[in-house]
Amino acid sequence: METRKLILCCAASAAVSALIAVTATAAAIREEVQPPQLPEQSQPPAVQPESQDHEYILGEWEGRLAVYRTGESEPDSVLDVYLGLLPPADAQALREGIPVEDQTELDRRLEDFMS
C-alpha cells in the first residue's frame, strides 16, 4: 500500500510540474510572438527610379508589407508580413520602396518575403 501511495504522489507531482512548464512556455511564446508596435501613420514609398516602366511598388503600410500600384498613395493590398520580423536590409528596402515590373515578378517577390 505504501508503494502505491508513493507512485501516486510522484505521478501527481510530475503532472503538476508538466502543467506549470506548459503554462510558462505558452506565456513566453505569447510575449515573443506579439507583432511589433505599429507606427502612427505610414507614408507610401517614395520610389523615384530612373525609369517608370514598373507596374507595382512593394513598400510599407502600418509596419506591414504592402503592394502599391505605381503612382498611388494608398496600398492595393496589405499583407500580414511585419517588417519588424524581416532582416533589417529587407525592411529598409521596403521602407524605401521596391519597384516591381509586372505581376509575375510581384508574385515571385511576395513568395520570397512570405517564405
Side-chain angles (χ1 to χ4, degrees), residues 81-102:
V81 175
Y82 291 89
L83 271 63
L85 301 176
L86 294 174
D90 289 346
Q92 184 59 36
L94 286 167
R95 286 184 189 98
E96 293 171 4
I98 301 171
V100 178
E101 187 175 321
D102 56 24

Side-chain angles (χ1 to χ4, degrees), residues 5 27 75-76 97:
K5 286 182 182 178
D76 197 44

Side-chain angles (χ1 to χ4, degrees), residues 28-75:
I29 289 172
R30 275 194 301 275
E31 287 179 21
E32 290 178 11
V33 174
Q34 293 296 322
Q37 293 296 320
L38 301 178
E40 293 287 323
Q41 185 177 9
S42 291
Q43 296 292 324
V47 172
Q48 299 297 330
E50 294 174 10
S51 96
Q52 292 290 342
D53 40 332
H54 57 276
E55 189 173 346
Y56 303 98
I57 298 170
L58 289 179
E60 174 186 21
W61 180 261
E62 297 181 352
R64 297 185 294 169
L65 172 61
V67 178
Y68 294 84
R69 291 215 177 252
T70 300
E72 297 292 323
S73 61
E74 294 288 319

Side-chain angles (χ1 to χ4, degrees), residues 13-29:
S13 177
V16 169
S17 295
L19 182 59
I20 291 170
V22 167
T23 304
T25 302
I29 289 172

